[in-house]
Amino acid sequence: MQFDTPATTNPIDRLKVVGQPIHRIDGQLKTTGRAMYAYEWNDPNVSYAYGYPVGAAIAKGRIKSMDVSDAKKAPGVLAVVTTLDVGELKKGNFNTAKLFGGDEVQHYHQAIAVVVAETFEQARAAAALVRVDYAEEKGVFDLGKAMDTAVKPEESQEPDTAVGDFDVAFTSAPVTLDETYTTPDQSHCMMEPHASIAAWNGDELTVWTSSQMIDWWRSDLATTLGIDKEKLHLMSPFIGGGFGGKLFLRADAVLAAFGAKEAGRPVKVALPRPLMPNNTTHRPATIQRVRIGADRDGRITAIAHQSWSGDLPGGGPETAVNQTRLLYAGANRMTAMRLAALDLPEGNAMRAPGEAPGLMALEIAIDEMAEKLGMDPVQFRILNDTQVDPENPERPFSQRNLIGCLEVGAERFGWNQRRGPGSRRDGNWLIGVGVAAAFRNNLLVPSGARVRLDREGIVTVETDMTDIGTGSYTIIAQTAAEMLGLPIEKVAVQLGDSRFPVSAGSGGQFGGNCSTAGVYAACVKLREAVAQKLGFNSDDVVFENGQVRSGNRAVLLAEAAGSDGLVGEDTIEWGDLSKTHQQSTFGAHFVEVGVDVATGESRIRRMLAVCAAGRILNPITARSQVIGAMTMGVGGALYEELAVDTRSGFFVNHDLAGYEVPVHADIPRQEVIFMEETDPMSSPMKAKGVGELGLCGVSAAIANAIYNATGIRVRRYPITLDKLIGGLPDVA
Amino acid sequence: MRAFTYERASSVEAAAKAAASNPEAKFIAGGTNLLDLMKLEIETPTHLIDVNDLGLDKIEPTQEGGLRIGALVRNTDLAAHKTVRRDYGLLSRALLAGASGQLRNKASTAGNLLQRTRCPYFYDTNQPCNKRQPGSGCSAIGGFSRQHAVVGTSEACIATNPSDMAIAMRALDAVVETVKGDGSRRAIPIADFHRLPGDTPYIETVLEAGEIITAVVLPPPIGGRQIYRKVRDRASYAFALVSVGAVIQPNGTGRIAVGGVAHKPWRVEAAEAELPTGVRAATGVLLADARPTEQNRFKVELVERTLAAVISEARG
């Protein structure tokens, strides 16, 4: 189905199932431990072997030699495969750093061997016996120092944009701000580690893995192994979190494939937690300069956002200026991204790449600018709203209700109780409130599905879409149920299998809208097949209450299916609506923090998010997405930082003890409000993404609340107590 | 993890004797720290002596009016014990500030005293570390050192002792009772139990080969306001950046032990004498010889501010 004109009324609008607060249909499998994650796949007739990876002990250089003789002799060992054994491998299309093969070490903990043994413990013990002789080379590990060497990335990345004359407008503006903000490297830290089981059958390979994007992985694994993609069967039905860390093929799948080949047995490989931050990808650190000029009445006349980030050669920039191109009005504007070559592990997508770190900077700057103007920061944002793409005013937003989010949020939160910096106290706590806008683009990706109707009247949806904890199973079932007039119990959903039609996958908050739109398209095909079989005129056919009706004829769906059943399959493709209209999602975050007056510990007291993100397909799963994202924003504001050892070039705090993410005690009552909205430009579902929107702006709202509590403006994340105590009131 | 042999000891003396005769043996009780370190091959004992059956799991009053805490009393049980909560509130509070419910259910009193540092370079076997591999160097010096010690450090090591419980034990003047390999017994004041790193950061306590802890003895209760204040980035499940264990008497005198700043629980009696003068004076003495790194310089001020908050709470 080609979606190139705005959606009109369609069966989804009935909202009997879609839009309803339905609990996860896979929830019981998960709460009872029966959902089988990658590492847990178990065929009782198969004797699995266990592979344990070895990570490089240097950040950059070459491997001169490897001695695996002791490892091979260790108890239980079946095979040892080294990066030298397999030689240079082709790199997957989506990988910047190579995952395995050859003598070059590009980053710390790069996979350089896998040891396969009868048990996990034997494999781990033997892996410690692999001896490596390195020729270490000097690398570049410090973004701050490499900033001056940063270059303009390729034009395809749109590194520079400019409208009007920023310099002139900024210089002549009566009120200006020019500040620099930094965000650190961050790690996804999903609960389920990267894990794969590989099983060869002749030249055919089956891999159970933990992947957000089945088809990307399938292509890249086939490329890396040098096999035909058609010979590769990939499955990833359940995923214990990804956050972008499982978008691209990872070493566990490659090592499992090589290990299984060598051992002649199916092999399981999971990345050990301490290997994950350096072996895989991370959100790259940024240095961001924001300049804003405004009239005295608060109208922005000039806005500029520049961002510097680093990556391995061949990588891309963190697109932290994205939102500044679209979020606020202003006739004179420029954005620029510069990329430094660093020898740290690969930087890549992590939940809301670009906008998450970009808003961490921009939304502090907006708060600072409002203060300079003597304006309320909510009012300042409302005043500078735009209903068109400010770089291209011919182009309106499809829907944009930032103002509604700010106004509803301010009302609900009690924003008018806010006082000046450092003026509210509750015992030992300095209390402050902060606000930030949330913004994330709505991306459209083709997505396919197959829908089968059987003679029992059961509809089964098959798509390679993944559920990374987001609720894909449920909203897909809701979509099929709505389209075919069935209760959700009559719909089965099968996901994450490369034998199914290629879907959008889970990323960029496009999965929910695009995958359900693909299911919608397939259901349209199935409805046509049903109508055709019954000889109904498909224009006036109604699917309702398990029946298909036309005029005064009504037939049970089960009957219509007949003994052979019926199938509909299609892929949603996208026309120009995202070019003619800017499609984005909006929100507002409100936060109250307490800062301990003596120690500077910041603790969150209240959080509210208001989101305008198109139709909400399921308010329960959508809320879960947003509160999870808000929690991630707390981590980004207050704790999360991969500490770079700039001498030897690696992330030092590479486990969950050293890299702190929020725990339950850190998270207070969280409230989420979804604005009534449908967006006919976004898809037949009229929905957009919400999973990343919930993160965008949270950390800045917290930073602004800390400023309001203490009067201390911290522009370097995370805002840990050491950055505050020097400015707190005397307590001795 | 390397292969090891395992025995369940039947008596304290037998356990001590077995350990003394095998330099590669280790005792195991809760295993909450040891097993993690064995998986990473930071600890590589070839023999484990399980001491869980030794009956050292009782909390009993002493003749002097104090409390004898068996070495195997679990952290959860110790924190919840009625007498501990009533008379040694500092200890109960310190215990509950550490780890998680699951870990406290397993972790023993003696094991808590013997837990090893959480320095990330100690945990990464690719990196030089004098504590893990004597003579290899200290990666934390000049590296990521925000969590590290500021006082009592050496050129060889700036690691901290991560225990919360030990801070309370130090403030309460606990005594560690042991049995050596030859069957002899001794009582070690907690002040002497942990060592500063010096040139031998891999030697963390004064225990001799085979010497087993049987109990930790608390002197009779000393009253006062007993406060444990643990400062950390997140609200739970994190090691202290700085912690202050304090027993403050109504007349303003008191005892102060500080965590997160040194290779051992840090207490300077001369600093306590300055308490009536003020927090700044007391901190000045407490951290007189501090040599912080660029990254952990904030801890000096943080100790003073946390101590001020604790004193203010004690008086309030």
Side-chain angles (χ1 to χ4, degrees):
Chain A
M1 174 183 288
Q2 183 77 12
F3 183 75
D4 45 18
T5 54
T8 53
T9 301
N10 66 42
I12 297 297
D13 294 321
R14 297 186 289 187
L15 297 181
K16 286 186 177 164
V17 194
V18 168
Q20 297 303 314
I22 293 169
H23 287 283
R24 287 163 196 268
I25 61 172
D26 52 330
Q28 208 176 48
L29 285 180
K30 289 182 173 172
T31 53
T32 55
R34 286 176 297 150
M36 295 237 275
Y37 291 83
Y39 201 75
E40 300 172 327
W41 271 90
N42 188 41
D43 178 342
N45 301 314
V46 173
S47 170
Y48 296 97
Y50 295 81
Y52 198 87
V54 178
I58 61 165
K60 186 176 166 68
R62 296 201 171 267
I63 295 172
K64 291 197 283 191
S65 64
M66 297 178 77
D67 177 358
V68 298
S69 52
D70 288 347
K72 279 189 166 159
K73 280 183 275 182
V77 170
L78 300 167
V80 179
V81 183
T82 74
T83 190
L84 301 182
D85 295 340
V86 304
E88 287 293 334
L89 299 176
K90 272 194 184 164
K91 204 175 63 179
N93 189 33
F94 290 95
N95 295 124
T96 301
K98 58 180 190 171
L99 300 177
F100 193 54
D103 66 348
E104 185 190 4
V105 175
Q106 292 182 294
H107 63 89
Y108 194 70
H109 278 172
Q110 177 180 314
I112 57 169
V114 61
V115 177
V116 181
E118 293 285 354
T119 70
F120 170 80
E121 288 76 12
Q122 287 170 332
R124 181 177 60 193
L129 298 174
V130 173
R131 309 274 165 248
V132 188
D133 187 12
Y134 296 101
E136 196 171 356
E137 292 164 24
K138 274 201 186 322
V140 179
F141 309 118
D142 188 335
L143 176 63
K145 286 186 179 151
M147 204 175 151
D148 295 336
T149 67
V151 299
K152 190 160 130 179
E154 339 172 336
E155 285 302 327
S156 63
Q157 313 259 15
E158 291 193 271
D160 289 351
T161 63
V163 174
D165 192 330
F166 170 78
D167 287 328
V168 169
F170 183 71
T171 311
S172 60
V175 183
T176 59
L177 169 113
D178 181 355
E179 292 290 355
T180 297
Y181 307 83
T182 63
T183 64
D185 298 288
Q186 293 181 338
S187 187
H188 307 85
C189 289
M190 73 299 276
M191 285 304 292
E192 184 204 18
H194 303 81
S196 295
I197 303 175
W200 290 91
N201 180 11
D203 62 349
E204 293 186 359
L205 176 63
T206 301
V207 178
W208 290 267
T209 191
S210 186
S211 160
Q212 296 177 225
M213 307 293 288
I214 299 298
D215 196 55
W216 292 3
W217 281 58
R218 191 179 182 215
S219 300
D220 278 359
L221 183 55
T223 302
T224 305
L225 298 175
I227 64 172
D228 181 355
K229 183 176 171 183
E230 297 306 314
K231 304 270 185 187
L232 180 53
H233 177 202
L234 210 70
M235 279 180 283
S236 186
F238 294 104
I239 297 138
F243 307 126
K246 294 171 181 170
L247 282 172
F248 317 115
L249 177 70
R250 300 256 51 95
D252 54 299
V254 179
L255 297 179
F258 277 109
K261 188 113 208 167
E262 186 70 16
R265 294 251 295 268
V267 167
K268 298 187 173 199
V269 175
L271 296 187
R273 181 68 63 177
L275 211 68
M276 286 169 57
N278 287 285
N279 176 272
T280 69
T281 61
H282 64 279
R283 188 200 298 286
T286 65
I287 299 168
Q288 302 179 50
R289 183 184 185 196
V290 179
R291 284 172 290 169
I292 304 173
D295 290 343
R296 291 205 189 279
D297 67 2
R299 279 181 209 283
I300 294 172
T301 54
I303 184 163
H305 194 156
Q306 294 158 278
S307 175
W308 290 260
S309 60
D311 202 0
L312 286 165
E318 178 68 20
T319 55
V321 305
N322 273 359
Q323 69 291 316
T324 309
R325 298 174 55 187
L326 291 159
L327 189 49
Y328 297 112
N332 303 286
R333 46 203 309 132
M334 66 84 79
T335 67
M337 296 185 282
R338 293 294 178 267
L339 178 63
L342 293 182
D343 297 300
L344 290 171
E346 175 179 337
N348 216 317
M350 178 167 146
R351 200 176 196 173
E355 280 96 330
L359 284 162
M360 287 168 85
L362 177 66
E363 287 299 287
I364 296 182
I366 291 291
D367 199 68
E368 295 196 68
M369 193 65 190
E371 187 178 38
K372 280 176 182 256
L373 288 157
M375 288 183 75
D376 180 283
V378 169
Q379 292 310 316
F380 180 53
R381 288 180 174 90
I382 289 173
L383 182 69
N384 287 290
D385 186 57
T386 173
Q387 292 293 315
V388 296
D389 173 355
E391 288 182 358
N392 183 4
E394 309 292 299
R395 204 169 154 254
F397 283 91
S398 61
Q399 296 277 343
R400 174 170 167 131
N401 196 7
L402 174 60
I403 293 177
C405 293
L406 287 162
E407 287 178 341
V408 166
E411 170 70 25
R412 179 71 73 98
F413 190 76
W415 181 252
N416 59 8
Q417 306 290 310
R418 174 177 178 264
R419 290 186 237 152
S423 57
R424 242 182 97 196
R425 186 136 177 192
D426 175 6
N428 292 326
W429 296 101
L430 304 171
I431 310 299
V433 294
V435 64
F439 173 92
R440 172 78 173 141
N441 281 331
N442 185 55
L443 306 174
L444 298 175
V445 180
S447 193
R450 185 158 57 225
V451 189
R452 299 177 188 278
L453 171 66
D454 71 13
R455 61 181 166 187
E456 308 294 329
I458 300 291
V459 166
T460 301
V461 184
E462 297 171 343
T463 164
D464 86 352
M465 178 61 189
T466 50
D467 188 328
I468 59 174
T470 40
S472 307
Y473 277 104
T474 310
I475 57 172
I476 284 172
Q478 287 175 274
T479 303
E482 194 76 77
M483 288 299 288
L484 296 164
L486 289 169
I488 196 162
E489 296 74 28
K490 297 281 187 194
V491 180
V493 180
Q494 299 199 358
L495 301 182
D497 191 316
S498 62
R499 292 171 300 193
F500 301 152
V502 174
S503 73
S506 298
Q509 81 170 13
F510 52 67
N513 179 45
C514 296
S515 72
T516 53
V519 173
Y520 172 97
C523 286
V524 168
K525 282 277 168 67
L526 178 60
R527 286 165 59 110
E528 287 167 4
V530 170
Q532 190 184 10
K533 183 163 179 205
L534 297 173
F536 288 179
N537 175 1
S538 59
D539 289 343
D540 70 351
V541 167
V542 177
F543 288 73
E544 204 168 47
N545 301 325
Q547 294 181 329
V548 50
R549 279 201 327 268
S550 177
N552 53 9
R553 285 183 62 199
V555 180
L556 285 172
L557 267 187
E559 228 170 278
S563 54
D564 293 342
L566 290 168
V567 182
E569 180 173 341
D570 202 1
T571 295
I572 188 105
E573 310 268 3
W574 308 97
D576 282 343
L577 290 174
S578 65
K579 295 190 179 71
T580 56
H581 292 75
Q582 175 58 37
Q583 297 189 15
S584 305
T585 61
F586 298 87
H589 288 286
F590 292 83
V591 178
E592 180 178 301
V593 302
V595 178
D596 187 295
V597 67
T599 64
E601 291 161 293
S602 298
R603 301 285 182 254
I604 312 293
R605 293 159 67 100
R606 289 194 290 146
M607 303 183 86
L608 166 67
V610 187
C611 304
R615 171 174 282 153
I616 298 304
L617 300 174
N618 181 329
I620 294 179
T621 56
R623 179 178 182 276
S624 292
Q625 281 293 290
V626 176
I627 63 172
M630 291 157 81
T631 302
M632 198 175 235
V634 173
L638 300 180
Y639 330 114
E640 292 184 39
E641 174 173 21
L642 286 168
V644 181
D645 188 315
T646 54
R647 303 163 305 177
S648 39
F650 73 108
F651 300 131
V652 183
N653 50 343
H654 52 67
D655 60 29
L656 289 177
Y659 185 89
E660 291 185 14
V661 297
V663 295
H664 284 88
D666 292 305
I667 302 303
R669 198 165 59 87
Q670 295 173 311
E671 198 181 347
V672 181
I673 296 170
F674 293 111
M675 301 292 283
E676 267 314 310
E677 186 176 297
T678 50
D679 192 337
M681 307 285 181
S682 67
S683 80
M685 303 301 293
K686 303 171 188 171
K688 291 190 279 204
V690 76
E692 298 187 330
L693 179 68
L695 169 60
C696 293
V698 177
S699 301
I702 294 167
N704 296 338
I706 290 173
Y707 172 72
N708 183 242
T710 63
I712 304 166
R713 186 65 80 177
V714 179
R715 302 183 184 89
R716 280 185 305 135
Y717 291 96
I719 307 173
T720 44
L721 58 87
D722 44 301
K723 294 166 188 167
L724 295 171
I725 54 170
L728 291 172
D730 198 9
V731 290
Chain B
M1 187 182 283
R2 305 240 181 113
F4 58 89
T5 52
Y6 172 87
E7 70 177 293
R8 262 185 185 262
S10 54
S11 74
V12 170
E13 290 71 19
K17 196 176 166 193
S21 67
N22 181 352
E24 297 193 344
K26 286 249 173 203
F27 298 119
I28 182 163
T32 56
N33 193 205
L34 180 62
L35 286 177
D36 282 353
L37 294 171
M38 287 171 68
K39 289 174 186 173
L40 295 166
E41 300 202 2
I42 294 162
E43 294 274 12
T44 52
T46 56
H47 184 64
L48 286 186
I49 302 164
D50 188 321
V51 296
N52 284 296
D53 285 351
L54 300 184
L56 302 172
D57 54 357
K58 307 202 175 41
I59 301 176
E60 296 164 325
T62 62
Q63 282 183 350
E64 295 74 28
L67 211 55
R68 173 171 285 104
I69 302 158
L72 290 166
V73 172
R74 305 297 157 174
N75 288 179
T76 297
D77 297 331
L78 182 56
H81 193 268
K82 248 163 74 175
T83 312
V84 173
R85 289 172 48 140
R86 187 187 65 213
D87 296 335
Y88 306 97
L90 174 59
L91 177 58
S92 187
R93 290 178 188 117
L95 281 160
L96 293 176
S100 64
Q102 294 92 328
L103 287 166
R104 292 193 297 266
N105 287 345
K106 287 295 283 181
S108 67
T109 305
N112 190 315
L113 286 178
L114 296 174
Q115 67 178 294
R116 306 202 67 191
T117 186
R118 299 291 169 156
C119 172
Y121 295 101
F122 174 70
Y123 269 80
D124 188 333
T125 49
N126 291 327
Q127 302 302 320
C129 171
N130 287 321
K131 190 182 271 297
R132 179 169 29 77
Q133 202 180 349
S136 62
C138 173
S139 305
I141 296 173
F144 175 52
S145 58
R146 180 169 181 266
Q147 285 275 355
H148 288 71
V150 296
V151 69
T153 55
S154 72
E155 295 301 319
C157 181
I158 58 170
T160 57
N161 180 314
S163 173
D164 292 298
M165 185 195 79
I167 306 304
M169 293 293 193
R170 180 70 180 90
L172 294 169
D173 279 337
V175 173
V176 181
E177 294 186 342
T178 68
V179 171
K180 294 193 197 180
D182 62 3
S184 64
R185 292 166 182 273
R186 66 168 169 160
I188 308 165
I190 187 78
D192 303 331
F193 183 78
H194 293 104
R195 293 165 47 108
L196 288 176
D199 296 331
T200 55
Y202 46 92
I203 306 174
E204 292 166 357
T205 70
V206 298
L207 290 179
E208 294 171 12
E211 190 170 8
I212 180 171
I213 298 172
T214 54
V216 178
V217 176
L218 295 174
I222 54 168
R225 284 292 300 274
Q226 304 201 359
I227 296 169
Y228 188 72
R229 179 70 168 90
K230 182 174 182 179
V231 182
R232 43 187 162 178
D233 290 322
R234 64 181 172 192
S236 178
Y237 210 53
F239 296 97
L241 289 167
V242 156
S243 69
V244 172
V247 182
I248 305 297
Q249 301 298 342
N251 65 4
T253 63
R255 300 180 186 179
I256 303 292
V258 180
V261 297
H263 200 254
K264 59 189 284 187
W266 195 250
R267 183 174 167 198
V268 177
E269 277 77 353
E272 292 166 3
E274 295 291 328
L275 276 178
T277 315
V279 165
R280 191 150 289 165
T283 311
V285 177
L286 185 68
L287 300 181
D289 301 318
R291 287 195 307 164
T293 68
E294 204 55 48
Q295 291 186 8
N296 68 17
R297 194 172 302 282
F298 72 94
K299 285 193 176 187
V300 175
E301 186 174 1
L302 186 57
V303 168
E304 181 180 306
R305 298 184 67 93
T306 308
L307 183 55
V310 165
I311 299 289
S312 151
E313 184 185 340
R315 287 179 186 148

